[in-house]
Amino acid sequence: MIKQNEYARRRRQLMRTAGEGAVIILRAAPERVRSNDVLHPYRQDSDFLYLTGFPEPEAVLVLCTEDKGGRAILFCREKDERKEMWDGPMIGLETAMADYGMDEAHPIGEVEQRLPELLQDRTRIYHDLGKDPAFDTRLIGWLNEFRGKPRRKFHAPEEIIELGHLVHDMRLYKSRAELTAMRRAGRISARAHVRAME
């Protein structure tokens, strides 16, 4: 099992690689409808899971590179007792910070309001382009809005860079904990195949 200090180390490494003045934005995988109001079992986006260990949908991770190691900000669902009766326990904001090592956690409903402020005075944005075209359009719209302000008091990001190549390069190199988990998964799979053959 991967511990939270390893997820935090991965986030710090990614921020160092992105460099000073960057902001990194990564969205959780959406839920998929199977039939009417029945959903497929949820599977988190692999890159999002690699950086957070966070298993829920409707979440956005924002990493702001700064002098003192950077900030990890998670936008996620708030706990909702009524929804939990049907869908099971939800993580919520406090647990996102305490158990998942986030510096800040905000309701997912506030991402449209808070994210443009987090983009100000950043030189570049790293984002998983193409996964959510509607969000890509909003992101470009914010940048155009920044550039259209004649007397703005902040620097607007100059470019959006595809995030995948940074994260995927990191994922090629396995830590000791990852190798242990992979070996365990391999042993379980091998035993299952042997039992099936028997």
Side-chain angles (χ1 to χ4, degrees):
M1 181 170 169
I2 306 299
K3 296 183 178 178
Q4 272 310 310
N5 61 355
E6 178 149 351
Y7 292 112
R9 181 190 59 76
R10 292 170 181 174
R11 292 192 294 268
R12 287 193 302 271
Q13 180 182 344
L14 179 60
M15 286 189 276
R16 279 194 305 273
T17 305
E20 190 176 338
V23 62
I24 299 161
I25 304 169
L26 189 61
R27 295 172 60 82
E31 292 180 294
R32 303 289 184 192
V33 175
R34 181 175 178 180
S35 175
N36 296 325
D37 61 348
V38 177
L39 301 171
H40 282 284
Y42 183 68
R43 184 190 183 282
Q44 184 59 277
D45 175 83
S46 297
D47 293 342
F48 194 93
L49 192 65
Y50 177 78
L51 292 169
T52 64
F54 193 80
E56 290 186 352
E58 296 182 61
V60 176
L61 174 67
V62 180
L63 302 176
C64 299
T65 63
E66 294 169 355
D67 294 337
K68 298 177 181 177
R71 282 186 302 155
I73 304 165
L74 185 70
F75 294 88
C76 62
R77 302 181 301 185
E78 296 180 89
K79 287 185 78 64
D80 181 335
E81 290 181 8
R82 185 175 295 174
K83 195 168 184 179
E84 286 181 307
M85 286 193 309
W86 299 102
D87 299 337
M90 298 168 70
I91 292 170
L93 304 178
E94 291 178 10
T95 305
M97 291 178 65
D99 292 358
Y100 291 87
M102 297 297 154
D103 298 305
E104 299 176 30
H106 303 286
I108 189 64
E110 294 181 9
V111 72
E112 297 277 342
Q113 170 196 344
R114 291 180 180 265
L115 190 51
E117 296 172 8
L118 294 170
L119 300 179
Q120 296 177 10
D121 292 321
R122 299 285 163 181
T123 56
R124 63 203 169 283
I125 300 167
Y126 287 88
H127 172 58
D128 53 342
L129 290 162
K131 287 187 179 177
D132 184 345
F135 184 79
D136 294 350
T137 301
R138 286 200 299 277
L139 188 58
I140 293 166
W142 290 328
L143 296 187
N144 289 336
E145 186 181 317
F146 291 163
R147 293 174 184 142
K149 290 183 178 178
R151 295 182 180 176
R152 65 176 186 263
K153 297 179 180 178
F154 59 87
H155 178 78
E158 296 171 1
E159 58 184 339
I160 302 175
I161 303 169
E162 210 320 283
L163 175 63
H165 71 280
L166 290 184
V167 179
H168 298 164
D169 187 57
M170 287 174 58
R171 288 175 57 191
L172 287 174
Y173 302 93
K174 306 302 181 190
S175 68
R176 188 171 293 152
E178 287 174 296
L179 291 172
T180 300
M182 290 169 70
R183 288 186 184 108
R184 182 170 181 266
R187 287 193 298 271
I188 291 169
S189 297
R191 285 198 298 268
H193 281 287
V194 169
R195 284 188 65 183
M197 288 187 288
E198 289 172 350

